[in-house]
Amino acid sequence: MSLRVLVGCKRVIDYAVRVRVKPDSTGVVTQGVKHSMNPFDEIAVEQALQLKEQKLASEVIAFSCGPAQCVETLRTALAMGADRAVHVTVEGAEYENMQPLAVAKIMKKLVEKEDANLVIVGKQAIDDDCNQTGQMLAGLLGWSQGTFASKVDVDGEQLKVVREVDGGLETVQVSLPSVVTADLRLNTPRYATLPNIMKAKKKPMDKLSAGDLGVDVSSKVSMVGVSEPPVRQAGSKVESVSDLVQKLKAKGAIA
Amino acid sequence: PTTTAEVSAIMKYCHARNLAVVPQGGLTGLVGGSVPVFDEVIVSLSSMNKVIKVDPVAGVVVCEAGCVLQKLCDVLSDEGMTMPYDLGARGSCQVGGNVSTNAGGVRFLRYGSLHGSVLGIEAVLADGTVVDSLSTLRKDNTGYDVKQLFIGSEGTLGIITSVAISTPPTPEAITVCFVGCRTFADVLKTFSAAKHSLGEILSACEFFDSDSMMLLERNLGLSNPLGTSYPFYVLVETSGSDASHDEEKMTKFVEAGGSFENGILTSDPSKVQSVWELRENITVALMRDGAQHKFDIS
C-alpha cells in the first residue's frame, strides 16, 4: 500500500528559551518569545520523509492548527521536505484554551479529506506534555495505534512498531491505516537545507478554519492559574556524622 | 575575598612579605594564565559575584569580577540586553578574567574588542592600592585612560575587582547559516560575501576543517548537519532587530552562493545552539584525543 502520510506539527515555545510565567499567573509569556516546531513533531516529519525516500510513502502532508504564525512552522516542515502543508486557523482565546481532543477532531476531518492512511505525530508537545492527541485520533478514527515509537518498519499492510515503555521496549504489529506517535529515539531530524528552503516557498499551503471542517474547538477545560515551582532552598553542610544525625532529628526526619 | 577591601588587604600583606600571588577566576583560560608555577598564593575572585547595577537606558552593567558570564547574560536578558562578548566557556568564565585576558569570543566581529566595550574598571594593585576607574560614561576623556592598561594585562598589573561594561540590546532575531566549502580560498570568499551582503547584521563568522568535524563526530557523538563531509565548514551568524529584514538579507547571501555548497539555515534558538555546539566543542573533542590544541584564531 502506498502511504499517504499526514504529519502533525505543533508550534511551541523553542526548548532553548527560558520560559517565564506571566505576572498575572494566567499562563506563560508567549508574546515576543521565540517559537519553533515541537521537537517530537520534527521527529515525526523526519520519519515521514524517510518513508517517502524509501518509496513507501507517496505524499507527506504537514498540518498545524493555530494562529497565523503557524505558517512559519509549516514552512519548516516543507523546507525539511514535506510535499504540502495545511494550516487550520484557530485564533486568540480559542487557541489558548484548545485541547488535544479538538486537535484530534480536526485531524480526523483532514485524514478523511486528504485520504491519508498513516498519521505520524510527536508523542507529546513540550508545552503541555499532554500525550493525548495521537491516541484520541486513533480512537476517533477507529484506527490502530503504535505510540512512543522508537522504530517503525513497514511490512506490507502492517507496521512493526517498537515502543518505548517503562520496562524497556515492546514490539507490536499494527494493521494499516494507523496512527504512530514518535518518541525521542525514533530518528534524528534533518536540518532544512538551503536548496530545500528555497523550494519550500513554492510548495502549496492550504488554509482552512476549524469551522470549514465542521469542528467545534471550544473547550470544557479552563486554565485556573500557572505559577513557578517553589525556589529550591539552599542546603547546609555538616561537619560530622553525629552532626548530620542531630540535624535530621531536629527536622523530624528520623526518630 | 568577598570585597575589594579584602583583596586590598591580601595584596598589602603579600606585598610586604614578597609573596607571589596568582589571581584566579573561572579557570577556563586556554593558555595556562591561571596556573601557579611555584608557591604562589591563589586569590580567587569567585566569591565576588554581585551585580552592582544595571542601567537599561544607558545600556551599562556594573558588576564584581567574579560574576559568571552566563549569569550576567541571564540578568541582562530580563532588561532586553546582552553582554558585548560571548565565549563557549560562558557557563564558568568570570568577567574579571575575561577582561584581564581581553577575551575575544565569537561575537568579536559584531561588538569588537573589550577595549571598546569596557567603560570602567576597579582594580587592586600589587601593593594593595585600589585604583577606582569605575566610570559608566560611554565617553570619558578626562585624564589618562588607565583602565585600558588592565584590559589584557593578564593580572600582571593588578587584580580587577569590578567592571562596568556597555551592554547592547538583545538581538530580536538570530539566524545561523552553516555551509560546506571545498577550499580555503572559498572560505575566504564566503567570509567576504558575508561581510558585503549581510553587512551590519553579521554577528559571527567562524570556520573549521574536516578533521575537526571528524573528531566532533567520533569523540563527542555530535553529527554533521550537512550530512556529507567537506574540507571546510563555515558558520555565519546574523543578529538583528527584525527577523524578516534579516531573512531577506540571508536569502540574498545564500542565493548568491558561489563559494559554498550545500548548507543549512535556521533561526530556531535550539537549532542555533546545536550548530554553535559544533564550533564550541572542538577543543573538547581534541582533548579527548590527548592533544592540547586550541582552534581559536581570529
Side-chain angles (χ1 to χ4, degrees):
Chain A
M1 165 190 308
S2 186
L3 298 167
R4 292 178 48 74
V5 193
L6 181 68
V7 185
C9 310
K10 187 178 181 186
R11 177 178 179 265
V12 298
I13 294 179
D14 188 284
Y15 75 78
V17 169
R18 251 190 344 160
V19 175
R20 243 90 70 70
V21 176
K22 281 195 229 172
D24 61 6
S25 297
T26 55
V28 296
V29 179
T30 53
Q31 190 68 283
V33 173
K34 275 270 166 186
H35 285 63
S36 55
M37 195 189 303
N38 181 33
F40 294 111
D41 294 339
E42 281 180 347
I43 296 174
V45 172
E46 174 63 30
Q47 196 59 30
L49 295 174
Q50 286 185 12
L51 287 172
K52 193 163 151 230
E53 280 161 2
Q54 290 160 27
K55 307 258 193 280
L56 295 165
S58 58
E59 200 180 20
V60 175
I61 304 159
F63 144 79
S64 191
C65 68
Q69 297 98 316
C70 287
V71 165
E72 290 158 21
T73 311
L74 288 170
R75 286 271 165 239
T76 307
L78 291 172
M80 283 172 75
D83 300 299
R84 283 174 45 220
V86 177
H87 175 210
V88 174
T89 52
V90 180
E91 307 275 359
E94 241 188 4
Y95 178 64
E96 275 171 43
N97 280 327
M98 200 170 175
Q99 294 294 305
L101 183 56
V103 179
K105 286 181 185 169
I106 291 176
M107 290 190 80
K108 173 170 184 280
K109 292 286 176 169
L110 280 179
V111 162
E112 289 160 3
K113 185 173 182 290
E114 300 288 345
D115 195 24
N117 46 23
L118 176 61
V119 174
I120 313 181
V121 291
K123 67 172 181 180
Q124 65 197 57
I126 59 169
D127 51 6
D128 55 24
D129 281 343
C130 281
N131 183 1
Q132 297 168 16
T133 309
Q135 292 90 331
M136 284 176 167
L137 176 61
L140 291 171
L141 287 168
W143 283 12
S144 63
Q145 54 183 278
T147 54
F148 308 104
S150 65
K151 198 166 189 306
V152 176
D153 288 310
V154 181
D155 185 14
E157 305 284 313
Q158 319 246 308
L159 291 179
K160 203 163 89 169
V161 179
V162 177
R163 310 178 56 227
E164 300 224 4
V165 295
D166 287 348
L169 299 171
E170 178 191 60
T171 308
V172 297
Q173 189 138 333
V174 298
S175 307
L176 290 163
S178 187
V179 174
V180 170
T181 74
D183 208 325
L184 192 64
R185 278 160 279 269
L186 181 56
N187 59 49
T188 307
R190 64 195 66 184
Y191 284 84
T193 61
L194 298 174
N196 284 340
I197 293 173
M198 299 298 140
K199 278 191 221 155
K201 301 196 177 175
K202 306 194 183 79
K203 288 184 182 171
M205 174 151 3
D206 301 328
K207 192 158 127 171
L208 300 162
S209 73
D212 291 339
L213 293 168
V215 176
D216 173 14
V217 299
S218 59
S219 167
K220 293 186 177 62
V221 176
S222 63
M223 181 80 71
V224 172
V226 177
S227 58
E228 298 228 357
V231 177
R232 199 174 156 197
Q233 299 297 325
S236 58
K237 283 194 179 155
V238 292
E239 298 297 308
S240 66
V241 175
S242 40
D243 232 4
L244 175 64
V245 171
Q246 206 180 26
K247 285 224 163 100
L248 286 173
K249 279 192 177 155
K251 281 191 184 289
I254 54 174
Chain B
T2 53
T3 65
T4 307
E6 281 177 13
V7 176
S8 173
I10 292 167
M11 295 311 286
K12 222 170 181 166
Y13 182 97
C14 292
H15 182 81
R17 289 157 184 78
N18 249 357
L19 298 173
V21 171
V22 160
Q24 283 188 351
L27 299 176
T28 58
L30 302 177
V31 295
S34 56
V35 180
V37 292
F38 195 41
D39 61 353
E40 295 94 307
V41 172
I42 298 173
V43 177
S44 168
L45 279 303
S46 301
S47 300
M48 295 184 62
N49 56 9
K50 284 196 285 296
V51 175
I52 299 169
K53 186 173 87 163
V54 174
D55 183 342
V57 175
V60 185
V61 64
V62 183
C63 59
E64 293 182 330
C67 287
V68 171
L69 180 58
Q70 178 67 68
K71 201 191 93 171
L72 280 173
C73 286
D74 290 343
V75 164
L76 291 173
S77 76
D78 288 341
E79 303 283 351
M81 305 192 289
T82 187
M83 290 294 280
Y85 67 97
D86 196 16
L87 333 166
R90 63 185 73 85
S92 342
C93 67
Q94 295 171 13
V95 70
N98 293 146
V99 172
S100 304
T101 55
N102 191 14
V106 293
R107 300 277 144 58
F108 192 88
L109 210 66
R110 172 63 160 265
Y111 300 122
S113 162
L114 286 176
H115 280 291
S117 38
V118 169
L119 305 178
I121 287 181
E122 178 199 66
V124 175
L125 303 180
D127 64 359
T129 313
V130 177
V131 176
D132 183 2
S133 238
L134 201 60
S135 161
T136 55
L137 296 170
R138 200 74 191 81
K139 176 196 172 187
D140 184 2
N141 286 344
T142 58
Y144 293 114
D145 200 358
V146 167
K147 68 174 187 291
Q148 295 297 343
L149 285 173
F150 292 102
I151 302 172
S153 66
E154 310 252 349
T156 54
L157 296 178
I159 300 184
I160 295 179
T161 48
S162 297
V163 175
I165 297 194
S166 79
T167 52
T170 319
E172 286 298 319
I174 297 181
T175 306
V176 155
C177 177
F178 186 73
V179 300
C181 292
R182 294 250 162 243
T183 65
F184 187 63
D186 281 343
V187 170
L188 296 177
K189 273 197 223 141
T190 305
F191 173 51
S192 294
K195 274 203 292 190
H196 284 111
S197 40
L198 299 172
E200 69 282 4
I201 58 167
L202 181 65
S203 54
C205 188
E206 303 271 322
F207 93 95
F208 54 93
D209 60 13
S210 58
D211 283 339
S212 303
M213 180 66 88
M214 185 268 291
L215 287 170
L216 287 165
E217 290 175 307
R218 191 183 76 195
N219 291 352
L220 298 177
L222 298 175
S223 49
N224 180 349
L226 304 182
T228 38
S229 175
Y230 286 89
F232 296 99
Y233 302 92
V234 179
L235 188 165
V236 175
E237 184 195 72
T238 63
S239 305
S241 52
D242 186 334
S244 47
H245 163 263
D246 289 4
E247 214 193 275
E248 253 183 73
K249 278 194 142 113
M250 258 295 198
T251 306
K252 280 206 207 107
F253 165 66
V254 157
E255 275 174 347
S259 52
F260 51 85
E261 289 175 30
N262 212 346
I264 58 116
L265 181 72
T266 182
S267 313
D268 295 343
S270 47
K271 294 216 175 45
V272 165
Q273 224 174 54
S274 305
V275 177
W276 271 110
E277 222 182 26
L278 290 167
R279 167 65 187 92
E280 287 171 354
N281 282 299
I282 295 175
T283 301
V284 179
L286 284 163
M287 236 159 57
R288 298 266 169 103
D289 259 23
Q292 276 299 322
H293 287 308
K294 311 301 170 190
F295 207 99
D296 290 331
I297 310 169
S298 294

